[in-house]
Amino acid sequence: MASSRIPVIAAAVKERLQVAAIDFGTTYSGYALSFRSDFLDDPLKIMTNQWKTGAGRPASLKTSSCILFRPDQSFDSFGFEAEDKYAELAMDENHFDWYYFKRFKMLLYENMDLNRGTMLKDDKRKEMPAMTVFTEGIRYLKCQLIQLCEERSLGF
C-alpha cells in the first residue's frame, strides 16, 4: 500500500512552484526561497531578505537569533530589531521586566531532559517555556517570508 503512494508524492513534489527554507541558527537566522522556473534556469538563483540593521551595521542576509518578549510574555521583536529595542530599554533601565533571549538554541544543550514543558532562562535568569520562545521565533521568520513574497508581488 505504501508503494502506491510514492508516485503520487513524487508527482506532487515535481509540481511545486516554490520552495522555501528557514535557517533557525544558533547565532543568526534567516530564510530563502526559490521558484521552480528559476531553479531550472539557474539552481543558484535564490531570493533572501536583506535585513535592516541598526547601529550603523550594513545590511545582512541573516538576522541575529535574538528574541524579545514584553513583561506579559507576549512577543515583541526578533533579530536586530530585538537587540536594538532591548539596548534602548536597558539604557533607560526599563528592561528588568522584559524577557530577552540571545543564542537561546544553545540553552537546549544544557538540558538533557527536553520535553514540552522545558523552560529557558533569559539574560536575567527569568524563565519562559522553550516551546513559546521557539514557536514565536519560527512564526516571525515565516511571516517575514510571506511578507517578502507579497511585497515582490509573487502571488503566493
Side-chain angles (χ1 to χ4, degrees):
M1 180 136 183
S3 62
S4 64
R5 283 186 46 110
I6 293 173
V8 173
I9 293 170
V13 170
K14 287 182 181 179
E15 298 303 316
R16 298 286 188 241
L17 298 176
Q18 179 184 34
V19 174
I22 291 175
D23 176 5
F24 200 75
T26 300
T27 307
Y28 294 99
S29 295
Y31 57 84
L33 63 120
S34 180
F35 291 93
R36 181 171 22 135
S37 59
D38 291 337
F39 178 80
L40 294 173
D41 290 340
D42 179 5
L44 298 179
K45 185 173 182 182
I46 300 168
M47 282 192 283
T48 60
N49 189 41
Q50 292 289 319
W51 296 95
K52 296 175 184 167
T53 62
R57 296 180 292 222
S60 174
L61 296 178
K62 290 187 176 183
T63 191
S64 178
S65 294
C66 298
I67 192 165
L68 181 63
F69 291 89
R70 297 177 190 99
D72 66 358
Q73 297 189 357
S74 63
F75 174 81
D76 183 82
S77 50
F78 186 89
F80 297 135
E81 182 182 339
E83 283 182 346
D84 293 344
K85 182 162 185 177
Y86 190 69
E88 288 175 22
L89 289 165
M91 282 187 356
D92 295 334
E93 295 191 12
N94 292 326
H95 67 295
F96 296 109
D97 293 332
W98 291 69
Y99 296 80
Y100 180 66
F101 297 90
K102 186 168 187 159
R103 294 189 177 183
F104 53 92
K105 190 171 152 185
M106 290 303 293
L107 299 174
L108 295 178
Y109 291 109
E110 297 172 6
N111 188 343
M112 298 305 286
D113 184 32
L114 295 176
N115 57 58
R116 291 187 179 271
T118 297
M119 301 294 281
L120 292 180
K121 292 180 182 176
D122 78 346
D123 70 318
K124 295 172 300 305
R125 313 288 295 157
K126 292 172 54 176
E127 289 187 332
M128 272 187 68
M131 186 70 78
T132 301
V133 175
F134 281 92
T135 297
E136 292 302 326
I138 293 168
R139 183 187 331 269
Y140 174 82
L141 291 169
K142 180 191 98 171
C143 289
Q144 290 294 309
L145 182 124
I146 291 169
Q147 184 178 339
L148 174 72
C149 290
E150 289 172 352
E151 287 172 358
R152 295 194 181 175
S153 301
L154 301 177
F156 292 93

